[in-house]
Amino acid sequence: NAGVTQTPKFQVLKTGQSMTLQCAQDMNHNSMYWYRQDPGMGLRLIYYSASEGTTDKGEVPNGYNVSRLNKREFSLRLESAAPSQTSVYFCASSARRLGQDQETQYFGPGTRLLVL
Amino acid sequence: GDSVTQMEGPVTLSEEAFLTINCTYTATGYPSLFWYVQYPGEGLQLLLKATKADDKGSNKGFEATYRKETTSFHLEKGSVQVSDSAVYFCACRNTGGFKTIFGAGTRLFVKA
């Protein structure tokens, strides 16, 4: 049981390049999330997927797109990377029971992205 | 909108010292409150939580009490260890909602 896995662990991009961050969970969770972590700002929600087939914007969605490929996988795409997107990106998941999202989130180890 | 404010770090303590990390929140309704911990190079993991007023969450010697009258959820531990060195995040989430609001994090260093 690997929990939440993310790839790659580290990436360097040039301004304007594109890339996709991958996330997968093996806990049969319905909900998945992408956050970015910046110094002094905690975690900010980029996008989330309440269930397979749905995605919604979070606090800071500009410059990103997401795909909920299936129940296990939730990818984050940067179409044209900018230096302001240099950050650590975390994927998380949570279960749903009795029609309500369960509150505890389980996080992946993170992807450190540097945009030059 | 909802927000979480926690004390700035870093906090540096000697082993066996008492720890308090302050956290206050602004939220409508009756949110659930959390403390997450992030060890170096890892993702966040839940440390403890409380879902209603006056509840006390506890885990691994850490505890925090949900104080609705002061909108606070301060983290405490009576005797810290070097292995407690990490970044601690306070967070809140409204029941049934999908958005968890995180504080900025407080880095704790514990010296032997």
Side-chain angles (χ1 to χ4, degrees), chain B residues 2-63:
Chain B
D2 296 353
S3 66
V4 173
T5 303
Q6 59 184 107
M7 64 188 288
E8 288 189 29
V11 174
T12 303
L13 295 173
S14 296
E15 211 166 19
E16 299 183 3
F18 185 85
L19 168 71
T20 299
I21 300 178
N22 290 338
C23 171
T24 57
Y25 68 92
T26 302
T28 56
Y30 300 91
S32 294
L33 303 175
F34 307 83
W35 278 100
Y36 282 85
V37 59
Q38 182 182 30
Y39 297 104
E42 299 182 9
L44 280 71
Q45 52 186 278
L46 181 69
L47 179 60
L48 54 85
K49 72 177 187 181
T51 58
K52 61 183 188 297
D54 299 324
D55 267 3
K56 179 185 283 188
S58 61
N59 186 25
K60 300 182 182 178
F62 291 90
E63 57 183 38

Short mmCIF file of all heavy atoms in Angstrom, two decimals, chain B residues 2-63:
data_model
loop_
_atom_site.label_atom_id
_atom_site.label_comp_id
_atom_site.label_asym_id
_atom_site.label_seq_id
_atom_site.Cartn_x
_atom_site.Cartn_y
_atom_site.Cartn_z
N ASP B 2 -12.55 32.35 4.77
CA ASP B 2 -11.93 31.64 5.88
C ASP B 2 -10.42 31.87 5.87
O ASP B 2 -9.80 31.99 4.82
CB ASP B 2 -12.21 30.15 5.80
CG ASP B 2 -13.70 29.83 5.93
OD1 ASP B 2 -14.47 30.76 6.21
OD2 ASP B 2 -14.06 28.66 5.73
N SER B 3 -9.83 31.89 7.06
CA SER B 3 -8.38 32.07 7.15
C SER B 3 -7.85 31.44 8.43
O SER B 3 -8.60 31.25 9.39
CB SER B 3 -7.99 33.55 7.08
OG SER B 3 -8.47 34.23 8.22
N VAL B 4 -6.56 31.14 8.42
CA VAL B 4 -5.88 30.58 9.59
C VAL B 4 -4.60 31.36 9.80
O VAL B 4 -3.83 31.56 8.86
CB VAL B 4 -5.56 29.09 9.37
CG1 VAL B 4 -4.72 28.55 10.51
CG2 VAL B 4 -6.85 28.29 9.24
N THR B 5 -4.38 31.77 11.03
CA THR B 5 -3.16 32.51 11.38
C THR B 5 -2.43 31.73 12.47
O THR B 5 -3.01 31.40 13.50
CB THR B 5 -3.51 33.91 11.91
OG1 THR B 5 -4.27 34.61 10.91
CG2 THR B 5 -2.24 34.70 12.21
N GLN B 6 -1.16 31.45 12.24
CA GLN B 6 -0.38 30.78 13.25
C GLN B 6 0.92 31.53 13.48
O GLN B 6 1.36 32.31 12.65
CB GLN B 6 -0.12 29.32 12.89
CG GLN B 6 0.61 29.08 11.60
CD GLN B 6 0.73 27.58 11.30
OE1 GLN B 6 0.06 27.05 10.43
NE2 GLN B 6 1.66 26.93 12.00
N MET B 7 1.51 31.28 14.62
CA MET B 7 2.69 32.04 15.01
C MET B 7 3.83 31.78 14.04
O MET B 7 3.99 30.68 13.51
CB MET B 7 3.11 31.73 16.43
CG MET B 7 3.55 30.32 16.69
SD MET B 7 3.79 30.00 18.45
CE MET B 7 5.29 30.92 18.77
N GLU B 8 4.59 32.84 13.79
CA GLU B 8 5.72 32.72 12.88
C GLU B 8 6.84 31.97 13.56
O GLU B 8 7.03 32.04 14.77
CB GLU B 8 6.20 34.11 12.47
CG GLU B 8 5.27 34.82 11.52
CD GLU B 8 5.88 36.10 10.97
OE1 GLU B 8 7.12 36.16 10.85
OE2 GLU B 8 5.12 37.03 10.67
N GLY B 9 7.61 31.27 12.78
CA GLY B 9 8.78 30.60 13.32
C GLY B 9 10.04 31.28 12.83
O GLY B 9 9.98 32.38 12.29
N PRO B 10 11.14 30.59 12.95
CA PRO B 10 11.22 29.28 13.58
C PRO B 10 11.17 29.36 15.10
O PRO B 10 11.49 30.38 15.68
CB PRO B 10 12.57 28.75 13.09
CG PRO B 10 13.40 29.97 12.86
CD PRO B 10 12.43 31.04 12.40
N VAL B 11 10.73 28.27 15.69
CA VAL B 11 10.76 28.11 17.13
C VAL B 11 11.88 27.14 17.46
O VAL B 11 11.94 26.06 16.89
CB VAL B 11 9.41 27.54 17.64
CG1 VAL B 11 9.50 27.23 19.12
CG2 VAL B 11 8.27 28.49 17.34
N THR B 12 12.79 27.56 18.32
CA THR B 12 13.92 26.72 18.71
C THR B 12 13.82 26.41 20.19
O THR B 12 13.73 27.33 21.01
CB THR B 12 15.27 27.40 18.40
OG1 THR B 12 15.31 27.72 17.01
CG2 THR B 12 16.43 26.49 18.74
N LEU B 13 13.82 25.13 20.52
CA LEU B 13 13.70 24.70 21.91
C LEU B 13 14.76 23.65 22.22
O LEU B 13 15.25 22.96 21.31
CB LEU B 13 12.32 24.07 22.16
CG LEU B 13 11.10 24.98 22.02
CD1 LEU B 13 9.83 24.15 22.12
CD2 LEU B 13 11.12 26.07 23.07
N SER B 14 15.06 23.51 23.48
CA SER B 14 15.91 22.42 23.93
C SER B 14 15.05 21.20 24.20
O SER B 14 13.85 21.32 24.48
CB SER B 14 16.67 22.82 25.19
OG SER B 14 17.54 23.89 24.92
N GLU B 15 15.65 20.04 24.09
CA GLU B 15 14.93 18.80 24.36
C GLU B 15 14.31 18.86 25.75
O GLU B 15 14.89 19.41 26.69
CB GLU B 15 15.91 17.62 24.27
CG GLU B 15 15.28 16.34 23.81
CD GLU B 15 16.29 15.27 23.40
OE1 GLU B 15 17.47 15.39 23.79
OE2 GLU B 15 15.90 14.36 22.68
N GLU B 16 13.10 18.32 25.86
CA GLU B 16 12.30 18.26 27.09
C GLU B 16 11.64 19.60 27.45
O GLU B 16 10.97 19.69 28.48
CB GLU B 16 13.12 17.74 28.28
CG GLU B 16 13.66 16.33 28.05
CD GLU B 16 14.41 15.78 29.25
OE1 GLU B 16 14.47 16.46 30.29
OE2 GLU B 16 14.93 14.67 29.15
N ALA B 17 11.80 20.62 26.64
CA ALA B 17 11.10 21.89 26.89
C ALA B 17 9.63 21.76 26.54
O ALA B 17 9.21 20.85 25.82
CB ALA B 17 11.74 23.01 26.08
N PHE B 18 8.83 22.72 27.04
CA PHE B 18 7.40 22.77 26.75
C PHE B 18 7.18 23.54 25.45
O PHE B 18 7.79 24.58 25.22
CB PHE B 18 6.66 23.47 27.89
CG PHE B 18 5.17 23.48 27.75
CD1 PHE B 18 4.41 22.39 28.18
CD2 PHE B 18 4.52 24.56 27.17
CE1 PHE B 18 3.03 22.39 28.04
CE2 PHE B 18 3.14 24.56 27.03
CZ PHE B 18 2.40 23.48 27.46
N LEU B 19 6.27 23.02 24.62
CA LEU B 19 6.00 23.64 23.32
C LEU B 19 4.58 24.18 23.28
O LEU B 19 3.62 23.49 23.67
CB LEU B 19 6.14 22.60 22.20
CG LEU B 19 5.62 23.01 20.82
CD1 LEU B 19 6.53 24.07 20.21
CD2 LEU B 19 5.51 21.80 19.91
N THR B 20 4.45 25.41 22.78
CA THR B 20 3.14 25.95 22.40
C THR B 20 3.31 26.60 21.04
O THR B 20 4.22 27.41 20.84
CB THR B 20 2.63 27.02 23.38
OG1 THR B 20 2.49 26.45 24.67
CG2 THR B 20 1.28 27.56 22.92
N ILE B 21 2.44 26.25 20.11
CA ILE B 21 2.36 26.95 18.82
C ILE B 21 0.94 27.47 18.71
O ILE B 21 -0.02 26.70 18.72
CB ILE B 21 2.68 26.03 17.63
CG1 ILE B 21 4.09 25.46 17.75
CG2 ILE B 21 2.54 26.83 16.32
CD1 ILE B 21 4.46 24.50 16.63
N ASN B 22 0.82 28.80 18.62
CA ASN B 22 -0.51 29.42 18.60
C ASN B 22 -1.14 29.36 17.22
O ASN B 22 -0.46 29.50 16.19
CB ASN B 22 -0.41 30.87 19.04
CG ASN B 22 -0.09 30.99 20.51
OD1 ASN B 22 -0.32 30.09 21.30
ND2 ASN B 22 0.47 32.13 20.91
N CYS B 23 -2.46 29.17 17.23
CA CYS B 23 -3.22 29.15 15.98
C CYS B 23 -4.59 29.76 16.24
O CYS B 23 -5.27 29.38 17.21
CB CYS B 23 -3.39 27.73 15.47
SG CYS B 23 -4.53 27.57 14.08
N THR B 24 -5.01 30.70 15.41
CA THR B 24 -6.36 31.23 15.45
C THR B 24 -6.97 31.13 14.06
O THR B 24 -6.25 31.11 13.06
CB THR B 24 -6.40 32.69 15.92
OG1 THR B 24 -5.58 33.48 15.06
CG2 THR B 24 -5.91 32.82 17.35
N TYR B 25 -8.28 31.07 14.00
CA TYR B 25 -8.95 30.89 12.72
C TYR B 25 -10.11 31.87 12.58
O TYR B 25 -10.65 32.37 13.56
CB TYR B 25 -9.45 29.46 12.57
CG TYR B 25 -10.58 29.11 13.52
CD1 TYR B 25 -11.91 29.27 13.15
CD2 TYR B 25 -10.30 28.63 14.80
CE1 TYR B 25 -12.94 28.98 14.02
CE2 TYR B 25 -11.32 28.33 15.68
CZ TYR B 25 -12.64 28.52 15.29
OH TYR B 25 -13.65 28.23 16.18
N THR B 26 -10.46 32.12 11.33
CA THR B 26 -11.67 32.88 10.98
C THR B 26 -12.46 32.02 10.03
O THR B 26 -11.95 31.66 8.97
CB THR B 26 -11.30 34.22 10.30
OG1 THR B 26 -10.47 34.97 11.17
CG2 THR B 26 -12.56 35.01 9.98
N ALA B 27 -13.67 31.66 10.43
CA ALA B 27 -14.49 30.81 9.57
C ALA B 27 -15.94 30.97 9.96
O ALA B 27 -16.26 31.23 11.13
CB ALA B 27 -14.07 29.34 9.70
N THR B 28 -16.82 30.79 8.99
CA THR B 28 -18.24 30.80 9.28
C THR B 28 -18.65 29.41 9.76
O THR B 28 -17.99 28.42 9.46
CB THR B 28 -19.05 31.19 8.04
OG1 THR B 28 -18.71 30.28 6.99
CG2 THR B 28 -18.73 32.61 7.60
N GLY B 29 -19.72 29.36 10.51
CA GLY B 29 -20.23 28.08 10.94
C GLY B 29 -19.34 27.39 11.96
O GLY B 29 -18.71 28.04 12.79
N TYR B 30 -19.27 26.08 11.83
CA TYR B 30 -18.55 25.26 12.81
C TYR B 30 -17.53 24.38 12.11
O TYR B 30 -17.78 23.20 11.85
CB TYR B 30 -19.58 24.42 13.59
CG TYR B 30 -20.59 25.27 14.31
CD1 TYR B 30 -21.78 25.66 13.71
CD2 TYR B 30 -20.32 25.74 15.60
CE1 TYR B 30 -22.69 26.47 14.38
CE2 TYR B 30 -21.22 26.54 16.27
CZ TYR B 30 -22.41 26.91 15.65
OH TYR B 30 -23.30 27.71 16.30
N PRO B 31 -16.37 24.95 11.82
CA PRO B 31 -15.38 24.18 11.07
C PRO B 31 -14.74 23.09 11.92
O PRO B 31 -14.77 23.15 13.16
CB PRO B 31 -14.34 25.24 10.69
CG PRO B 31 -14.43 26.24 11.79
CD PRO B 31 -15.89 26.30 12.16
N SER B 32 -14.15 22.12 11.26
CA SER B 32 -13.24 21.18 11.92
C SER B 32 -11.84 21.78 11.87
O SER B 32 -11.49 22.50 10.93
CB SER B 32 -13.25 19.84 11.19
OG SER B 32 -14.50 19.22 11.32
N LEU B 33 -11.05 21.48 12.88
CA LEU B 33 -9.71 22.05 13.00
C LEU B 33 -8.67 20.94 13.05
O LEU B 33 -8.92 19.86 13.61
CB LEU B 33 -9.62 22.92 14.26
CG LEU B 33 -10.63 24.06 14.34
CD1 LEU B 33 -10.52 24.77 15.69
CD2 LEU B 33 -10.43 25.05 13.21
N PHE B 34 -7.51 21.22 12.47
CA PHE B 34 -6.48 20.20 12.29
C PHE B 34 -5.10 20.77 12.60
O PHE B 34 -4.85 21.96 12.43
CB PHE B 34 -6.44 19.71 10.83
CG PHE B 34 -7.75 19.26 10.28
CD1 PHE B 34 -8.65 20.18 9.77
CD2 PHE B 34 -8.08 17.92 10.25
CE1 PHE B 34 -9.87 19.77 9.25
CE2 PHE B 34 -9.28 17.50 9.73
CZ PHE B 34 -10.18 18.43 9.22
N TRP B 35 -4.22 19.89 13.02
CA TRP B 35 -2.79 20.14 12.96
C TRP B 35 -2.16 19.05 12.10
O TRP B 35 -2.38 17.85 12.34
CB TRP B 35 -2.15 20.13 14.35
CG TRP B 35 -2.31 21.42 15.07
CD1 TRP B 35 -3.21 21.73 16.03
CD2 TRP B 35 -1.52 22.61 14.88
NE1 TRP B 35 -3.05 23.02 16.46
CE2 TRP B 35 -2.02 23.59 15.77
CE3 TRP B 35 -0.44 22.94 14.06
CZ2 TRP B 35 -1.47 24.88 15.86
CZ3 TRP B 35 0.10 24.21 14.14
CH2 TRP B 35 -0.42 25.17 15.03
N TYR B 36 -1.42 19.50 11.07
CA TYR B 36 -0.65 18.60 10.23
C TYR B 36 0.83 18.85 10.52
O TYR B 36 1.24 19.96 10.86
CB TYR B 36 -0.90 18.87 8.74
CG TYR B 36 -2.19 18.30 8.20
CD1 TYR B 36 -3.38 19.01 8.32
CD2 TYR B 36 -2.21 17.08 7.54
CE1 TYR B 36 -4.57 18.49 7.80
CE2 TYR B 36 -3.39 16.56 7.01
CZ TYR B 36 -4.56 17.27 7.14
OH TYR B 36 -5.73 16.76 6.64
N VAL B 37 1.66 17.80 10.33
CA VAL B 37 3.10 17.93 10.54
C VAL B 37 3.82 17.50 9.25
O VAL B 37 3.37 16.58 8.56
CB VAL B 37 3.58 17.09 11.74
CG1 VAL B 37 3.25 15.62 11.57
CG2 VAL B 37 5.07 17.28 11.98
N GLN B 38 4.88 18.23 8.92
CA GLN B 38 5.67 17.92 7.72
C GLN B 38 7.12 17.72 8.14
O GLN B 38 7.79 18.68 8.54
CB GLN B 38 5.55 19.04 6.70
CG GLN B 38 6.29 18.77 5.40
CD GLN B 38 6.19 19.93 4.42
OE1 GLN B 38 6.08 21.09 4.81
NE2 GLN B 38 6.22 19.62 3.14
N TYR B 39 7.60 16.49 8.04
CA TYR B 39 9.01 16.20 8.32
C TYR B 39 9.83 16.50 7.07
O TYR B 39 9.29 16.49 5.95
CB TYR B 39 9.17 14.75 8.76
CG TYR B 39 8.43 14.46 10.05
CD1 TYR B 39 7.24 13.76 10.05
CD2 TYR B 39 8.93 14.92 11.26
CE1 TYR B 39 6.54 13.52 11.22
CE2 TYR B 39 8.24 14.69 12.44
CZ TYR B 39 7.05 13.99 12.41
OH TYR B 39 6.36 13.76 13.58
N PRO B 40 11.11 16.76 7.22
CA PRO B 40 11.94 17.16 6.08
C PRO B 40 11.82 16.20 4.90
O PRO B 40 11.95 14.98 5.06
CB PRO B 40 13.35 17.15 6.68
CG PRO B 40 13.15 17.43 8.12
CD PRO B 40 11.86 16.75 8.49
N GLY B 41 11.57 16.76 3.73
CA GLY B 41 11.52 15.97 2.51
C GLY B 41 10.26 15.15 2.33
O GLY B 41 10.18 14.34 1.40
N GLU B 42 9.28 15.34 3.19
CA GLU B 42 8.05 14.54 3.11
C GLU B 42 6.83 15.41 2.90
O GLU B 42 6.88 16.64 3.04
CB GLU B 42 7.88 13.71 4.38
CG GLU B 42 9.00 12.72 4.63
CD GLU B 42 8.76 11.89 5.88
OE1 GLU B 42 7.65 11.94 6.45
OE2 GLU B 42 9.70 11.18 6.28
N GLY B 43 5.70 14.76 2.59
CA GLY B 43 4.43 15.47 2.54
C GLY B 43 3.85 15.66 3.92
O GLY B 43 4.40 15.19 4.91
N LEU B 44 2.74 16.37 4.00
CA LEU B 44 2.09 16.60 5.28
C LEU B 44 1.39 15.33 5.75
O LEU B 44 0.92 14.53 4.94
CB LEU B 44 1.04 17.71 5.16
CG LEU B 44 1.53 19.14 5.18
CD1 LEU B 44 2.28 19.48 3.90
CD2 LEU B 44 0.35 20.09 5.36
N GLN B 45 1.32 15.17 7.05
CA GLN B 45 0.53 14.07 7.61
C GLN B 45 -0.26 14.59 8.80
O GLN B 45 0.21 15.47 9.53
CB GLN B 45 1.41 12.88 8.00
CG GLN B 45 2.58 13.19 8.89
CD GLN B 45 3.48 11.99 9.11
OE1 GLN B 45 3.19 11.14 9.95
NE2 GLN B 45 4.55 11.90 8.34
N LEU B 46 -1.45 14.06 8.96
CA LEU B 46 -2.31 14.52 10.03
C LEU B 46 -1.70 14.19 11.39
O LEU B 46 -1.29 13.05 11.64
CB LEU B 46 -3.69 13.86 9.91
CG LEU B 46 -4.69 14.27 10.98
CD1 LEU B 46 -5.11 15.73 10.77
CD2 LEU B 46 -5.93 13.36 10.93
N LEU B 47 -1.65 15.19 12.28
CA LEU B 47 -1.16 14.97 13.63
C LEU B 47 -2.34 14.77 14.59
O LEU B 47 -2.37 13.82 15.35
CB LEU B 47 -0.32 16.16 14.07
CG LEU B 47 0.28 16.11 15.48
CD1 LEU B 47 1.19 14.92 15.65
CD2 LEU B 47 1.03 17.42 15.78
N LEU B 48 -3.32 15.69 14.51
CA LEU B 48 -4.51 15.56 15.35
C LEU B 48 -5.60 16.45 14.79
O LEU B 48 -5.34 17.34 13.98
CB LEU B 48 -4.21 15.91 16.81
CG LEU B 48 -3.57 17.26 17.11
CD1 LEU B 48 -4.61 18.36 17.23
CD2 LEU B 48 -2.76 17.19 18.40
N LYS B 49 -6.82 16.23 15.25
CA LYS B 49 -7.92 17.06 14.79
C LYS B 49 -9.00 17.13 15.87
O LYS B 49 -9.04 16.31 16.79
CB LYS B 49 -8.50 16.53 13.49
CG LYS B 49 -9.31 15.25 13.60
CD LYS B 49 -9.89 14.89 12.23
CE LYS B 49 -10.84 13.71 12.34
NZ LYS B 49 -11.39 13.33 11.00
N ALA B 50 -9.87 18.13 15.72
CA ALA B 50 -11.03 18.28 16.60
C ALA B 50 -12.18 18.79 15.75
O ALA B 50 -12.00 19.66 14.90
CB ALA B 50 -10.73 19.25 17.74
N THR B 51 -13.36 18.24 15.96
CA THR B 51 -14.47 18.55 15.07
C THR B 51 -15.55 19.42 15.69
O THR B 51 -16.44 19.90 14.99
CB THR B 51 -15.12 17.26 14.54
OG1 THR B 51 -15.54 16.49 15.67
CG2 THR B 51 -14.12 16.46 13.72
N LYS B 52 -15.50 19.66 17.01
CA LYS B 52 -16.49 20.55 17.60
C LYS B 52 -15.90 21.25 18.81
O LYS B 52 -14.89 20.83 19.38
CB LYS B 52 -17.77 19.82 17.94
CG LYS B 52 -17.64 18.70 18.94
CD LYS B 52 -18.98 18.01 19.12
CE LYS B 52 -18.97 16.99 20.25
NZ LYS B 52 -18.05 15.88 20.02
N ALA B 53 -16.60 22.30 19.22
CA ALA B 53 -16.13 23.14 20.31
C ALA B 53 -15.86 22.32 21.57
O ALA B 53 -16.62 21.41 21.91
CB ALA B 53 -17.14 24.25 20.59
N ASP B 54 -14.75 22.64 22.23
CA ASP B 54 -14.28 22.04 23.48
C ASP B 54 -13.69 20.64 23.29
O ASP B 54 -13.20 20.04 24.26
CB ASP B 54 -15.38 21.99 24.55
CG ASP B 54 -15.88 23.37 24.90
OD1 ASP B 54 -15.06 24.31 24.93
OD2 ASP B 54 -17.09 23.53 25.13
N ASP B 55 -13.71 20.11 22.08
CA ASP B 55 -13.03 18.84 21.81
C ASP B 55 -11.53 19.03 21.97
O ASP B 55 -10.99 20.07 21.62
CB ASP B 55 -13.30 18.38 20.37
CG ASP B 55 -14.49 17.46 20.26
OD1 ASP B 55 -15.14 17.22 21.29
OD2 ASP B 55 -14.75 17.00 19.14
N LYS B 56 -10.86 18.00 22.45
CA LYS B 56 -9.41 18.01 22.51
C LYS B 56 -8.88 16.91 21.60
O LYS B 56 -9.24 15.74 21.76
CB LYS B 56 -8.92 17.77 23.94
CG LYS B 56 -7.39 17.73 24.06
CD LYS B 56 -6.93 17.38 25.47
CE LYS B 56 -7.06 18.55 26.40
NZ LYS B 56 -6.45 18.30 27.73
N GLY B 57 -8.06 17.30 20.65
CA GLY B 57 -7.37 16.32 19.83
C GLY B 57 -6.02 16.01 20.44
O GLY B 57 -5.38 16.90 21.01
N SER B 58 -5.58 14.74 20.35
CA SER B 58 -4.28 14.39 20.92
C SER B 58 -3.66 13.26 20.12
O SER B 58 -4.35 12.40 19.57
CB SER B 58 -4.42 14.01 22.39
OG SER B 58 -5.26 12.89 22.53
N ASN B 59 -2.32 13.27 20.08
CA ASN B 59 -1.59 12.23 19.37
C ASN B 59 -0.10 12.42 19.65
O ASN B 59 0.40 13.54 19.61
CB ASN B 59 -1.85 12.32 17.86
CG ASN B 59 -1.23 11.18 17.09
OD1 ASN B 59 -0.98 10.10 17.62
ND2 ASN B 59 -0.97 11.41 15.82
N LYS B 60 0.60 11.35 19.94
CA LYS B 60 2.06 11.36 20.13
C LYS B 60 2.51 12.38 21.16
O LYS B 60 3.58 12.96 21.04
CB LYS B 60 2.77 11.66 18.80
CG LYS B 60 2.49 10.67 17.70
CD LYS B 60 3.27 11.02 16.43
CE LYS B 60 2.95 10.06 15.32
NZ LYS B 60 3.68 10.41 14.07
N GLY B 61 1.70 12.64 22.18
CA GLY B 61 2.05 13.59 23.22
C GLY B 61 1.65 15.02 22.91
O GLY B 61 1.73 15.90 23.78
N PHE B 62 1.21 15.28 21.69
CA PHE B 62 0.71 16.60 21.31
C PHE B 62 -0.78 16.67 21.61
O PHE B 62 -1.49 15.67 21.53
CB PHE B 62 0.91 16.85 19.81
CG PHE B 62 2.34 17.00 19.39
CD1 PHE B 62 3.08 15.89 19.01
CD2 PHE B 62 2.94 18.24 19.35
CE1 PHE B 62 4.40 16.02 18.62
CE2 PHE B 62 4.25 18.39 18.95
CZ PHE B 62 4.98 17.27 18.58
N GLU B 63 -1.24 17.87 21.96
CA GLU B 63 -2.67 18.06 22.12
C GLU B 63 -3.06 19.49 21.76
O GLU B 63 -2.23 20.40 21.78
CB GLU B 63 -3.14 17.71 23.52
CG GLU B 63 -2.47 18.45 24.64
CD GLU B 63 -2.97 17.96 25.99
OE1 GLU B 63 -3.20 16.75 26.17
OE2 GLU B 63 -3.11 18.82 26.88
#
